[in-house]
Each structure stands twice: as C-alpha cells, then as structure tokens.
Amino acid sequence: MSHSPPLDEMCELYEMLRRQRRCYVLLVVGANTTPPYPVRPVARRVTALLDAVPLSAATGDRYQNVYVSLIQTHLPRLAEADLITYNPDRKLIAPGPELPTALLVLRAAWAAYEPSHAAEWPLGEIDATIRSEP
C-alpha cells in the first residue's frame, strides 16, 4: 500500500497556497540557489510579479505594503508550515523541508489551469528575473 500524507497536512498546504503573495514567495525561494535570502529583495520580486512590472518599478507604497504583509503575516505562516525557514530578527528566508512538495503542487495546478502552456512554467521566468537583478 502506498503512503499518502494525512488529509489535514494536505489541507494545510492548500491553505498556504490560497494567497498569491505566499505562492510568489515560494516560487522566488524555489527559483534561487543561494539561500538565505533577505526579505527586502524577495518582497521587491513579489511586488514586481504581482504587478507585472520590472524590478526597478517595484517600489513605493505598493512595495511597502507587500513587505509589511510578508513579515507580519505570510512569512511566519509559511515557516509554521515548514515551507520556508524564516529568521524574523535577521529578516532572512531559506527553503523549508516541505518546499519541494509545494512547488510540485503549484506546477501541477499550473499545468491543469494552463494545459496549453504547461511547458511555460513561470519558475524559469522568475529565475531569470532574479538573476538579472543588480
């Protein structure tokens, strides 16, 4: 018999993925290869992705709103679910042990909702965005 995660763990993961900002944090953390990541650049990337603007335009009130919501709400919740590790004193983020599972779920959802674009997984685009940041 195959092992499957308990239903409550699956529901918790889906709860974490209900918020777009959390999904983008997971995609940004999953795309980068040199943890830990300071929160401010992650918040800028999330702002840019939310607004579909270049990183240089991810500033001002919108960026501040995203940054504050990440540090006050989203990052602690993602850390509680072991999707990331978060050091609130140093404002650093790193992948958590459950991040690969979340990325698989996000990729499956992407393929289900965008079947004609399944090969165009946004992680590559996000990775390119991260690497192009000065």
Side-chain angles (χ1 to χ4, degrees):
M1 185 189 301
S2 66
H3 176 325
S4 62
L7 185 57
D8 59 334
E9 287 179 24
M10 289 189 318
C11 290
E12 181 182 356
L13 175 59
Y14 287 120
E15 175 64 28
M16 291 299 105
L17 299 178
R18 282 186 59 219
R19 302 287 180 236
Q20 193 174 23
R21 290 178 185 188
R22 291 185 205 147
C23 291
Y24 279 136
V25 166
L26 296 176
L27 291 172
V28 168
V29 171
N32 208 327
T33 58
T34 56
Y37 322 110
V39 173
R40 289 193 181 278
V42 171
R44 281 192 65 217
R45 291 179 188 114
V46 170
T47 304
L49 291 164
L50 286 168
D51 295 346
V53 299
L55 281 171
S56 60
T59 60
D61 290 341
R62 175 68 167 164
Y63 159 77
Q64 286 298 325
N65 178 280
V66 170
Y67 174 77
V68 169
S69 74
L70 291 182
I71 62 172
Q72 290 182 348
T73 304
H74 300 298
L75 298 178
R77 300 259 340 253
L78 291 169
E80 286 174 18
D82 288 330
L83 295 167
I84 63 167
T85 60
Y86 172 53
N87 181 328
D89 297 326
R90 297 188 65 210
K91 302 283 190 282
L92 293 174
I93 307 166
E98 298 299 325
L99 180 61
T101 302
L103 293 176
L104 284 172
V105 170
L106 287 170
R107 185 173 199 123
W110 176 263
Y113 285 101
E114 297 289 341
S116 63
H117 303 288
E120 299 171 18
W121 171 235
L123 201 54
E125 180 181 326
I126 292 168
D127 190 35
T129 302
I130 291 167
R131 290 183 182 160
S132 67
E133 183 178 8

